[in-house]
């Protein structure tokens, strides 16, 4: 049920930190935000009837208990109290920005302790009274920390004032000091002014408070794990890169911010030992040739898992919850002139095809608008490819209907819902079964295979600036989403994903925009987007 293998090997990661002489602060809460899909919560929770997330709900807490029973078998022996590097654990993340259910917080704390947590526990919230009152457990003497990226004097004063109000004296700690920020599709890359950052960090250090830089290493939202910001009825999916303009970039390379903060620390703490960072090897590989292509409708059975139902089911109900599902049915012609179709409540983005021909693409608020088309024959095959572009990771919309992905309530022809659906969950683990010599009709969602022989490997970025929208896989590893909308136009490829010898790159592209050659490049590629173009 739980997977801690390969890149998900938490035990190996924490033990590596210990070998490097680092201590570890763990956030084992089932919700972490972190611009992660659904804030880290699993999509299948949305199939539970009337479940209330992050609350004193027996269904939710039972799921947490099952998770902790497995998770703490890894964490408990790695605590500093058992000879490991874990020095602290967080009970919940910014709960005061979501709810005020102290019974729930105490239940999470009790579960952590039941399964072996015996290091310092803490909460982390915005450093003002409303969030601290709702999200901390100061009344239980649990360490309360603050999250912010500037105005340290004011934030720590507010945190200290609330401690005094509660009759508690604790260390002042900024658990997340935001040294950068995340970026979203269709918006400019967010960059923090370095001079302003250094001044804000100097203020924290001058006050003698504890601080964690968030992020220190940006990283990557591989696969379908990018989160989404919420704006009323509109969601704003975040890009695959979580570079964050952090001290270390996606490839683990030190950035100018790293060296600037290193210099600041040398100035303020000359006795502090600092070591030079490692610089990873980067490679360029040009003109990787296309060796095969096939459209989705031709290879659908090879790359999917099929489910039949009278009414269309959500991605969560189908047991998937992520990526893409193709919904298929047969429709009858009712008129000789144009007929009207409407897709009701689908999320997030869909392609509408009749007999394999692209008719319309709709996204968010466009979904539900009339799709008018003339049917040449008595019957037609209707295919709707739906993409989940990421669930919200923060705020009030965790349980909004918009977070249930797929075809929604269905498709209407004229004024009635169409029944009898075949549903195909696209499974990119099955790519080895795909025949890339099959038919590839222009304009259809398609798979493109490229092959390259490498004498040596290294970190790099896959240049997708000539492609439309989709995902890329290198030797079976899902690098994540790309979209010509920008700002991100290249996906990070860790050296560990590449082989000395033969390598296969597969691009799944939904808009019919591709290139016959690929490049692996040393640096990320971003599209310039004007601020007022958002």
């Amino acid at each position: 049920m739980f997977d801690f293998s390969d890149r998900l090997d938490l035990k190996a990661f924490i033990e590596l930190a210990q070998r490097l002489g680092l201590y570890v602060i763990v956030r084992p809460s089932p919700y972490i935000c972190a611009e992660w899909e659904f804030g880290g919560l699993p999509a299948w929770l949305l199939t539970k009837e009337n479940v209330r997330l992050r609350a004193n709900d027996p269904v939710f807490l039972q799921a947490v208990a099952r998770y902790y029973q497995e998770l703490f078998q890894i964490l408990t022996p790695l605590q500093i109290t058992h000879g490991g590097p874990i020095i602290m654990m967080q009970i919940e993340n910014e709960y005061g920005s979501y709810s005020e259910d102290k019974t729930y917080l105490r239940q999470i704390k009790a579960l952590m302790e039941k399964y072996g947590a015996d290091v310092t526990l803490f909460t982390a919230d915005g450093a003002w009274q409303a969030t601290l009152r709702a999200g901390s457990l100061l009344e239980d003497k649990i360490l309360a920390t603050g999250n912010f990226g500037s105005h340290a004097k004011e934030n720590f004063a507010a945190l200290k004032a609330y401690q005094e109000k509660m009759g508690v004296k604790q260390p002042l700690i900024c658990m997340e000091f935001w040294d950068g920020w995340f970026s979203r599709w269709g918006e400019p890359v967010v960059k923090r002014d370095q001079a302003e950052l250094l001044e804000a960090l100097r203020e924290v250090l001058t006050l003698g408070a504890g601080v964690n830089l968030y992020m220190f290493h940006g990283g990557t939202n591989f696969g379908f794990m990018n989160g989404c910001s919420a704006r009323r009825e509109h969601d704003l999916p975040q890009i695959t890169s979580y570079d964050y303009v952090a001290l270390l970039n996606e490839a683990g390379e030190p950035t100018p911010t790293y060296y600037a903060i290193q210099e600041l620390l040398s100035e303020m703490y000359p006795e502090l030992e600092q070591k030079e960072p490692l610089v990873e090897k980067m490679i360029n590989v040009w003109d990787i040739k296309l060796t095969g292509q096939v459209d989705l409708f031709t290879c659908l059975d090879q790359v999917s898992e099929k489910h039949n139902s009278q009414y269309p089911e959500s991605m969560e109900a189908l047991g998937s919850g992520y990526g893409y599902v193709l919904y298929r049915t047969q429709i009858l012609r009712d008129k000789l002139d144009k007929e009207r179709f409407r897709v009701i409540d689908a999320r997030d983005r869909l392609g509408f095809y009749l007999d394999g021909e692209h008719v319309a693409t709709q996204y968010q608020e466009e979904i539900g608008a009339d799709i008018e088309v003339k049917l040449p024959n008595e019957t037609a095959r209707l295919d709707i490819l739906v993409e989940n572009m990421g669930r919200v990771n923060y705020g009030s919309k965790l349980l909004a209907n918009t977070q249930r992905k797929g075809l929604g309530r269905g498709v209407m022809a004229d004024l009635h819902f169409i029944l009898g659906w075949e549903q195909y969950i696209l499974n990119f683990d099955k790519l080895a079964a795909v025949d890339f010599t099959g038919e590839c009709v222009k304009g259809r969602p398609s798979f493109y295979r490229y092959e390259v022989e490498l004498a040596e490997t290294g970190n790099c970025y896959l240049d997708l600036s000539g492609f439309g929208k989709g995902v890329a896989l290198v030797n079976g590893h899902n690098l994540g989403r790309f979209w010509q909308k920008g700002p991100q136009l290249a996906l990070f490829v860790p050296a560990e994903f590449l082989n000395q010898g033969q390598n296969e790159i597969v691009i799944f592209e939904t808009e019919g925009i591709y290139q016959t050659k690929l490049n692996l490049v040393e640096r990320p590629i971003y599209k310039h987007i004007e601020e007022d173009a958002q």
Side-chain angles (χ1 to χ4, degrees):
M1 181 178 180
F2 299 102
D3 184 3
F4 292 105
S5 63
D6 298 324
R7 287 190 294 119
L8 307 177
D9 193 337
L10 180 63
K11 181 174 183 288
F13 182 77
I14 295 174
E15 288 176 339
L16 173 61
Q18 185 174 26
R19 290 197 300 273
L20 294 172
L22 299 173
Y23 293 110
V24 176
I25 298 173
V26 177
R27 305 201 291 182
S29 165
Y31 169 83
I32 58 168
C33 183
E35 286 68 61
W36 195 249
E37 219 275 353
F38 210 23
L41 296 167
W44 59 259
L45 284 170
L46 294 170
T47 65
K48 301 296 183 182
E49 188 174 355
N50 298 322
V51 66
R52 182 167 288 277
L53 306 178
R54 303 178 71 192
N56 186 31
D57 179 300
V59 175
F60 181 63
L61 288 172
Q62 185 180 30
V64 175
R66 286 199 303 269
Y67 172 52
Y68 277 2
Q69 189 172 10
E70 295 290 329
L71 178 66
F72 276 85
Q73 290 183 40
I74 297 170
L75 296 182
T76 296
L78 291 172
Q79 296 175 106
I80 196 167
T81 47
H82 299 255
I86 298 174
I87 56 173
M88 298 172 70
M89 292 192 195
Q90 182 170 295
I91 294 174
E92 241 270 6
N93 188 59
E94 295 182 337
Y95 190 68
S97 299
Y98 181 77
S99 187
E100 57 180 10
D101 188 344
K102 296 298 183 81
T103 303
Y104 161 67
L105 291 178
R106 293 187 178 103
Q107 291 271 34
I108 294 293
K109 172 181 177 291
L111 283 171
M112 292 172 66
E113 292 173 336
K114 175 182 177 180
Y115 292 112
D118 57 13
V119 292
T120 298
L121 302 180
F122 69 95
T123 58
D125 290 284
W128 63 92
Q129 177 164 309
T131 52
L132 291 168
R133 179 187 59 77
S136 73
L137 285 175
L138 271 175
E139 55 269 49
D140 296 356
K141 305 298 189 274
I142 296 297
L143 175 63
T145 67
N147 292 347
F148 52 84
S150 59
H151 304 292
K153 187 175 180 179
E154 294 89 334
N155 280 298
F156 281 132
L159 181 58
K160 185 176 180 181
Y162 190 71
Q163 290 178 0
E164 292 172 349
K165 180 178 179 179
M166 299 297 292
V168 175
K169 184 176 182 180
Q170 295 180 334
L172 296 175
I173 300 173
C174 179
M175 192 54 65
E176 290 184 16
F177 181 81
W178 306 317
D179 50 46
W181 207 246
F182 55 88
S183 299
R184 296 183 285 242
W185 293 113
E187 298 182 4
V189 173
V190 179
K191 294 183 179 179
R192 185 169 183 180
D193 179 79
Q194 189 179 99
E196 183 270 331
L197 166 62
L198 292 175
E199 191 58 35
L201 180 57
R202 181 189 293 273
E203 184 179 7
V204 174
L205 298 173
T206 300
L207 291 169
V211 60
N212 286 309
L213 296 171
Y214 186 98
M215 299 290 291
F216 191 92
H217 177 200
T220 309
N221 297 313
F222 290 116
F224 300 114
M225 290 296 106
N226 65 282
C228 192
S229 305
R231 295 293 183 273
R232 297 182 181 176
E233 291 305 307
H234 189 74
D235 293 340
L236 304 169
Q238 292 139 10
I239 64 175
T240 299
S241 171
Y242 201 63
D243 180 85
Y244 213 79
V245 199
L247 283 72
L248 302 181
N249 65 15
E250 281 184 277
E253 289 187 305
T255 65
T257 299
Y258 179 97
Y259 292 110
I261 291 179
Q262 184 184 56
E263 186 176 338
L264 173 66
L265 294 176
S266 295
E267 173 199 330
M268 297 187 69
Y269 307 100
E271 75 285 357
L272 185 69
E273 180 186 6
Q274 296 199 51
K275 298 180 180 180
E276 288 304 305
L278 298 175
V279 177
E280 296 287 337
K281 180 180 181 180
M282 306 295 294
I283 61 171
N284 288 308
V285 183
W286 307 105
D287 296 333
I288 301 171
K289 292 180 174 58
L290 177 70
T291 60
Q293 60 190 95
V294 60
D295 72 60
L296 174 63
F297 301 143
T298 299
C299 68
L300 185 59
D301 290 332
Q302 300 165 8
V303 75
S304 68
E305 298 162 5
K306 181 180 176 183
H307 299 260
N308 294 333
S309 64
Q310 188 78 326
Y311 296 91
E313 297 182 282
S314 69
M315 287 187 177
E316 299 81 21
L318 289 168
S320 168
Y322 308 97
Y324 302 84
V325 172
L326 185 129
Y327 295 82
R328 172 172 287 178
T329 191
Q330 299 293 320
I331 56 176
L332 300 174
R333 184 175 68 190
D334 289 318
K335 297 166 64 178
L336 292 178
D337 57 354
K338 285 186 177 181
E339 301 196 46
R340 181 179 70 144
F341 298 91
R342 286 179 295 148
V343 181
I344 310 299
D345 293 341
R347 278 280 168 158
D348 292 303
R349 193 171 189 270
L350 64 87
F352 189 101
Y353 302 84
L354 283 176
D355 288 331
E357 293 292 323
H358 178 256
V359 175
T361 297
Q362 293 184 334
Y363 179 44
Q364 295 208 36
E365 289 90 343
E366 301 164 351
I367 293 174
D370 289 354
I371 299 173
E372 294 187 338
V373 62
K374 185 175 181 179
L375 302 183
N377 303 310
E378 289 289 337
T379 63
R381 188 188 78 210
L382 171 61
D383 290 306
I384 299 178
L385 179 64
V386 183
E387 177 187 0
N388 165 12
M389 291 186 61
R391 294 180 181 83
V392 298
N393 52 263
Y394 176 85
S396 61
K397 290 182 67 176
L398 288 178
L399 279 173
N401 287 333
T402 53
Q403 304 318 302
R404 290 171 172 83
K405 307 300 183 178
L407 197 49
R409 285 188 284 156
V411 182
M412 299 191 81
D414 191 22
L415 296 176
H416 67 274
F417 281 103
I418 302 170
L419 303 184
W421 291 90
E422 298 173 348
Q423 296 145 126
Y424 298 84
I425 302 169
L426 270 58
N427 183 349
F428 297 109
D429 290 337
K430 301 178 74 172
L431 285 176
V434 172
D435 179 4
F436 283 92
T437 64
E439 186 177 28
C440 193
V441 176
K442 185 178 180 180
R444 290 180 180 176
S446 298
F447 293 91
Y448 303 91
R449 183 182 63 191
Y450 304 78
E451 293 176 293
V452 61
E453 186 93 11
L454 294 178
E456 59 178 356
T457 64
N459 293 330
C460 53
Y461 294 84
L462 177 61
D463 180 0
L464 293 160
S465 54
F467 289 74
K469 191 177 193 307
V471 296
L473 299 100
V474 172
N475 294 324
H477 299 284
N478 191 335
L479 302 182
R481 309 175 199 269
F482 63 87
W483 194 2
Q484 64 182 178
K485 186 174 185 177
Q488 181 178 6
L489 296 177
L491 296 177
F492 175 57
V493 184
E496 290 76 13
F497 288 3
L498 296 170
N499 303 321
Q500 280 190 330
Q502 192 67 19
N503 291 268
E504 179 187 69
I505 301 172
V506 176
I507 312 295
F508 176 62
E509 201 283 330
T510 60
E511 314 304 297
I513 304 171
Y514 73 101
Q515 291 187 317
T516 57
K517 293 182 180 180
L518 282 176
N519 296 322
L520 298 173
V521 296
E522 289 185 347
R523 293 288 175 258
I525 303 171
Y526 289 102
K527 179 180 181 179
H528 178 70
I529 298 175
E530 297 290 345
E531 291 283 350
D532 58 3
Q534 298 178 41

